[in-house]
């Protein structure tokens, strides 16, 4: 890191203030002497006026300078500018006597004025030699006044010099000589003070750099500094047995109750103690960091194998678990430790950090073990940044797009609507169902992007069908909890549906029962009410899976119930399933909402549902989800030929997909 121009200006200003304060009496004495000379040779009014101006300017400078020291943080730019302006303006009245004396026409007084103005030149150059900005900016008025002085002397009528005038000139010469010697001597002091100011600046710069790379509480490296240091420890040569780097991710267990019960002061003391223990344990074999909150990390070189790594992790957990005494109280915290090892010189720090993170979470979920070592073969593959790029590109190119599973009226056989279910037309893996890519979307935090793109495509498709004269009925899209539970998610969806006024009346949002008890129940209910008010139908999906209660059914506003596939699958061979389905159909009828059976795959299921009073179903008995073109053809046959929907594509896909 380097000092900016503003910082340089700040530290030069500090030294300039020191010089001004140091030389204040000398300046006043010299000014009074030259004003006395002006008085003696007939310029009494000018002498009085400019004496008053000089005294006032010195007082103003004293007021501005009095609170500025050589050390401390950089001065605000405005204060620096004010101090410089006072110095610059104060110099002008000090130069005026030279012009006044040069205008007399006397050679002796001209010599006195020359000595005076050159003395000021020497004073500026010597006092501010190490302060370039002040030196050159103050020389400008000095040079300007010198030019005016010569012009004044040139235009004044010449007169003979008296003995008294030559005595004044001689006195000025002696004062000039003495002032020059004193100024040159003081230059050493200026350089010393400038060195002190620079030293203070360097110290503060080092402190600032330390703060940007270290945790302010424990003094350990922060995440950025740790990643740089740990990257430097990665093995550069192939030596899997002797030169592996172990990445240990440590999360404290039981730390929050200490904060809540004994105050943040006690919590801070625990964190500091843990940091000290880790630092001592690692020593010179690695680096330690506090990543944030109660999470620490260490990278240790020379870990031979997974057995040694697990032993070290258990030792770390045991070390942290030792009691910590704070204000005569015995406090204890545990630790969950995840470890990942490099396996080749191609491993990146981000890769082993991800592995350690998975191992740490496994340790937190296992009450019998405090540490785990990451093993690629036994841990699930995590989504990477490359996966994020691939998924985003697939959404942009509409390779991830909605397919449409028809909802069929059991009495007429006609399509009453569709459920939009996403499919990924993967270039190498073929057609992927949601279960193959939705977990990655959720893990990578792409739920909002996925929902907005999918819903936008569905709304556009509905409007296209309506434009072609085909009514698709009620088309449903699955709405995730994160959208319902956040104001921003709700607003984004509202903005989207406003762009498709014709399609809005055909749109249904499917939500699962569990969202109402998972979190933010009140906000979710508000979101559902807002969508219904905007003309969107709400369908309660997976009904009967056990999450909802009759209390929720009384409180919620919805238009449709969808029987879970698990109940439909039992029809024809499970009496309990038949009783439950009949009961759910009765609930729907009593509430005045439509009931749709999902996962219908056999003629027996279709027949029993119709006999029980279910009017609409969907499932593989009729059709899996189909591309938009095939759905359009089915609508064409229905609207143009009046032909009920028939199953033309048996598929191996499973039912109950989630978009």
């Amino acid at each position: 890191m380097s000092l900016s121009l503003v910082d340089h200006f700040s530290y030069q200003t500090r030294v300039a203030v020191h010089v001004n304060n140091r030389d204040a009496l000398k300046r006043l004495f010299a000014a009074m002497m030259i004003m006395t000379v002006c008085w003696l040779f007939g310029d009494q009014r000018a002498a009085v006026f400019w004496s008053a101006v000089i005294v006032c300017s010195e007082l103003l400078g004293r007021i501005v300078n009095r609170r500025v020291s050589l050390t401390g943080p950089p001065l605000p730019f405005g204060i620096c500018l004010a101090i410089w302006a006072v110095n610059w303006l104060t110099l002008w009245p000090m130069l005026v006597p030279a012009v006044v004396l040069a205008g007399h026409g006397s050679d002796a007084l001209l010599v006195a004025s020359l000595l005076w103005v050159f003395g000021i030149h020497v004073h500026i150059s010597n006092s501010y030699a190490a302060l370039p900005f002040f030196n050159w900016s103050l020389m400008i008025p000095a040079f300007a006044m010198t030019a005016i002085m010569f012009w004044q002397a040139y235009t004044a009528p010449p007169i003979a010099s008296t003995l008294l005038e030559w005595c004044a000139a001689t006195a000025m010469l002696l004062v000039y000589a003495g002032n020059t010697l004193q100024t040159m001597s003081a230059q050493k002091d200026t350089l010393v003070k400038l060195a002190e100011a620079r030293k203070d600046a360097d110290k503060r710069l080092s402190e600032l750099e330390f703060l940007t790379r270290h945790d302010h509480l424990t003094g350990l490296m922060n995440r950025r500094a740790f990643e740089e240091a740990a990257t430097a420890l990665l093995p550069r040569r192939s030596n899997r047995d002797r030169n592996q780097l172990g990445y240990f991710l440590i999360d404290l267990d039981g730390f929050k109750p200490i904060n809540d019960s004994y105050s943040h002061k006690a919590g801070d003391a625990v964190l500091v103690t843990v940091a000290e223990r880790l630092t001592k344990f690692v020593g010179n074999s690695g680096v330690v960091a506090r990543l944030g909150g109660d999470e620490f990390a260490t990278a240790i070189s020379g870990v031979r194998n997974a057995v040694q790594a697990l032993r070290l992790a258990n030792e770390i957990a045991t070390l942290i678990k030792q009691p910590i005494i704070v204000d005569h109280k015995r406090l204890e915290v545990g630790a969950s430790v995840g470890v990942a090892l490099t396996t080749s010189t191609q491993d990146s720090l981000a890769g082993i950090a991800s592995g350690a993170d998975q191992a740490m979470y496994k340790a937190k979920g296992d009450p019998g073990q405090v540490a785990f070592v990451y093993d690629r073969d036994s841990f699930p593959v995590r989504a990477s940044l490359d996966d994020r790029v691939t998924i985003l590109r697939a959404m942009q190119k509409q390779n991830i797009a909605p397919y449409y599973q028809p909802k069929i009226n059991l009495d007429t056989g006609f399509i009453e609507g569709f459920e939009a279910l996403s499919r990924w037309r993967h270039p190498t893996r073929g057609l992927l169902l949601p279960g193959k890519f939705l977990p990655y979307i959720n893990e990578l935090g792409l739920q909002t992007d996925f929902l907005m793109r999918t819903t936008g495509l569905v709304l556009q498709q509905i409007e296209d069908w309506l434009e072609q004269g085909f009514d698709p009925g009620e088309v449903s899209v699955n709405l995730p909890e994160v959208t319902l539970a956040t104001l921003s998610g709700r607003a984004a969806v509202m903005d989207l549906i406003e762009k498709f006024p014709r399609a809005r009346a055909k749109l249904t949002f499917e939500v699962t029962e569990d969202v109402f008890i998972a979190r933010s129940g009140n906000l979710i209910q508000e979101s559902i009410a807002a969508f219904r008010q905007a003309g969107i139908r709400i369908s309660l999906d997976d009904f009967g899976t056990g999450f909802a209660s009759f209390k929720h059914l009384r409180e919620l506003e919805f238009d449709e119930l969808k029987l879970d596939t698990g109940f439909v699958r039992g029809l024809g061979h499970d009496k309990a399933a038949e009783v439950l389905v009949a009961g759910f159909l009765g609930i729907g009828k009593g509430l005045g909402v439509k009931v749709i059976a999902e996962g219908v795959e056999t003629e027996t299921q279709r027949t029993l549902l119709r006999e029980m009073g279910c009017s609409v179903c969907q499932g593989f008995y009729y059709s899996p989800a189909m591309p938009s073109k095939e759905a359009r053809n089915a609508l064409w046959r229905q609207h143009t030929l009046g032909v009920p929907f028939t199953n033309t594509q048996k598929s191996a896909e499973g039912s109950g997909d989630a978009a």
Side-chain angles (χ1 to χ4, degrees):
M1 298 177 70
S2 60
L3 289 174
S4 66
L5 291 176
V6 175
D7 291 331
H8 278 295
F9 185 29
S10 171
Y11 287 104
Q12 286 188 39
T13 301
R14 290 185 184 279
V15 179
V17 168
H18 169 76
V19 171
N20 289 338
N21 292 338
R22 181 194 66 196
D23 296 340
L25 290 178
K26 182 177 72 172
R27 284 196 308 276
L28 283 173
F29 171 77
M32 292 307 102
M33 184 196 71
I34 194 67
M35 290 305 172
T36 301
V37 173
C38 291
W39 176 281
L40 290 175
F41 297 106
D43 291 298
Q44 288 85 359
R45 288 185 179 180
V48 172
F49 175 78
W50 290 110
S51 294
V53 171
I54 290 172
V55 171
C56 290
S57 63
E58 287 291 337
L59 289 175
L60 177 61
R62 178 67 65 176
I63 292 171
V64 174
N65 296 341
R66 64 182 179 176
R67 293 189 177 181
V68 178
S69 64
L70 274 172
T71 60
L75 297 172
F77 181 76
I79 292 179
C80 294
L81 195 61
I83 292 172
W84 171 82
V86 169
N87 277 270
W88 195 81
L89 293 173
T90 301
L91 186 60
W92 287 94
M94 293 290 287
L95 291 162
V96 166
V99 177
V100 173
L101 293 177
H104 278 267
S106 166
D107 292 340
L109 293 182
L110 177 60
V111 170
S113 65
L114 286 170
L115 290 171
W116 175 253
V117 77
F118 289 144
I120 291 177
H121 285 196
V122 172
H123 172 74
I124 293 173
S125 60
N126 286 341
S127 297
Y128 299 104
L131 312 175
F133 183 80
F134 281 83
N135 188 14
W136 289 106
S137 62
L138 293 179
M139 276 298 187
I140 292 173
F143 290 147
M145 195 61 80
T146 301
I148 296 172
M149 179 198 69
F150 275 109
W151 177 256
Q152 186 79 345
Y154 176 75
T155 57
I159 61 174
S161 301
T162 65
L163 179 61
L164 183 60
E165 290 173 345
W166 281 114
C167 289
T170 303
M172 287 292 297
L173 178 62
L174 295 174
V175 170
Y176 166 75
N179 180 68
T180 301
L181 292 174
Q182 194 277 336
T183 301
M184 293 176 66
S185 175
Q187 186 179 12
K188 181 179 179 181
D189 172 74
T190 301
L191 294 174
V192 170
K193 297 304 180 184
L194 181 62
E196 292 177 2
R198 284 176 175 166
K199 183 178 180 181
D200 180 71
D202 292 340
K203 177 183 176 183
R204 292 189 175 277
L205 190 62
S206 298
E207 292 173 352
L208 178 62
E209 185 172 4
F210 182 86
L211 289 174
T212 60
R213 297 176 58 81
H214 291 78
D215 174 53
H216 72 281
L217 176 64
T218 63
L220 296 178
M221 292 181 180
N222 61 17
R223 185 182 296 273
R224 187 185 73 173
F226 175 74
E227 288 176 352
E228 292 176 2
T231 299
L233 295 176
L234 288 172
R236 304 302 178 190
R237 295 176 299 173
S238 297
N239 190 342
R240 295 184 58 180
D241 293 329
R242 298 182 179 275
N243 195 26
Q244 294 189 79
L245 179 70
Y247 188 110
F248 296 74
L249 187 62
I250 304 147
D251 190 80
L252 301 186
D253 300 325
F255 176 73
K256 188 176 184 299
I258 291 177
N259 259 342
D260 295 342
S261 303
Y262 298 103
S263 79
H264 288 285
K265 178 183 177 182
D268 289 348
V270 169
L271 293 175
V272 170
T273 302
V274 169
E276 292 172 349
R277 290 176 178 178
L278 287 174
T279 302
K280 185 176 180 180
F281 177 82
V282 173
N284 296 325
S285 61
V287 290
V288 184
R290 181 189 176 200
L291 302 184
D294 58 352
E295 190 174 73
F296 296 81
T298 177
I300 301 177
S301 297
V303 180
R304 293 177 178 273
N305 48 46
V307 174
Q308 183 189 11
L310 185 61
R311 178 177 60 79
L312 290 173
N314 281 303
E315 289 177 5
I316 288 173
T318 302
L319 184 68
I320 292 174
K321 193 173 177 60
Q322 293 177 7
I324 300 171
I325 308 301
V326 179
D327 293 335
H328 308 292
K329 298 181 180 66
R330 182 187 176 96
L331 306 179
E332 289 186 7
V333 290
S336 298
V337 186
V339 191
L341 299 174
T342 55
T343 57
S344 72
T345 56
Q346 303 302 315
D347 286 337
S348 66
L349 187 71
I352 61 173
S354 175
D357 183 61
Q358 293 183 69
M360 186 270 289
Y361 274 103
K362 186 173 182 180
K364 288 190 78 68
D366 190 330
Q369 241 179 308
V370 297
F372 276 96
V373 178
Y374 175 75
D375 178 12
R376 287 178 172 83
D377 296 330
S378 59
F379 280 76
V381 178
R382 295 282 295 272
S384 66
L385 291 177
D386 291 338
D387 293 325
R388 179 185 178 88
V389 172
T390 300
I391 290 174
L392 284 173
R393 186 180 295 118
M395 287 194 289
Q396 290 168 357
K397 293 183 176 181
Q398 297 186 18
N399 290 331
I400 297 179
Y403 275 41
Y404 297 89
Q405 185 173 41
K407 303 173 186 177
I408 306 299
N409 186 297
L410 289 173
D411 293 324
T412 66
F414 286 124
I415 297 172
E416 284 206 0
F418 294 93
E419 179 179 2
L421 300 166
S422 289
R423 300 290 185 266
W424 185 353
R425 296 186 291 269
H426 198 280
T428 59
R429 299 171 61 191
L431 189 67
L432 301 182
L433 299 181
K436 297 295 184 180
F437 59 87
L438 273 186
Y440 288 94
I441 287 176
N442 295 334
E443 183 179 345
L444 292 167
L446 297 174
Q447 301 99 318
T448 300
D449 299 79
F450 174 69
L451 171 69
M452 297 301 288
R453 289 183 181 275
T454 299
T455 306
L457 290 173
V458 170
L459 287 167
Q460 184 61 61
Q461 185 63 73
I462 294 173
E463 295 221 337
D464 290 345
W465 283 334
L466 293 174
E467 186 69 24
Q468 297 167 20
F470 306 135
D471 183 356
E474 299 154 359
V475 182
S476 59
V477 176
N478 288 272
L479 200 63
E481 175 194 343
V482 67
T483 303
L484 294 166
T486 59
L487 294 175
S488 59
R490 181 206 305 176
V493 174
M494 284 291 193
D495 290 341
L496 179 63
I497 62 179
E498 288 293 332
K499 299 175 182 178
F500 301 91
R502 294 186 65 193
R504 181 194 312 177
K506 301 295 181 181
L507 186 64
T508 298
F509 282 147
E510 294 190 11
V511 298
T512 55
E513 293 181 3
D514 56 335
V515 301
F516 301 105
I517 58 174
R519 62 170 185 171
S520 307
N522 292 334
L523 186 57
I524 288 174
Q525 291 187 36
E526 291 175 7
S527 296
I528 288 177
F531 286 130
R532 293 187 81 243
Q533 188 174 2
I536 310 300
R537 301 175 73 258
I538 300 297
S539 176
L540 193 58
D541 197 12
D542 297 335
F543 184 71
T545 53
F547 291 104
S549 67
F550 289 106
K551 175 177 180 292
H552 288 117
L553 292 178
R554 291 198 308 269
E555 294 176 349
L556 301 179
E557 299 180 9
F558 56 93
D559 306 278
E560 180 181 285
L561 290 176
K562 298 192 75 173
L563 295 181
D564 184 68
T565 301
F567 297 107
V568 175
R569 188 179 296 119
L571 294 177
H573 58 83
D574 184 350
K575 189 64 178 177
E578 295 178 17
V579 172
L580 288 172
V581 169
F584 293 147
L585 289 169
I587 290 173
K589 183 177 180 181
L591 294 174
V593 298
K594 181 187 290 187
V595 178
I596 298 178
E598 291 185 289
V600 177
E601 298 182 352
T602 67
E603 174 65 28
T604 300
Q605 293 167 356
R606 187 194 73 84
T607 301
L608 286 174
L609 284 168
R610 185 180 181 188
E611 291 174 353
M612 290 179 184
C614 182
S615 59
V616 182
C617 72
Q618 67 183 86
F620 279 40
Y621 177 79
Y622 286 99
S623 173
M626 62 181 72
S628 59
K629 184 177 180 180
E630 293 184 19
R632 185 261 182 203
N633 292 337
L635 290 174
W636 178 83
R637 288 192 296 270
Q638 178 170 303
H639 285 77
T640 305
L641 305 178
V643 177
F645 182 81
T646 56
N647 184 5
T648 60
Q649 50 167 339
K650 289 291 183 182
S651 169
E653 287 188 10
S655 58
D657 296 322

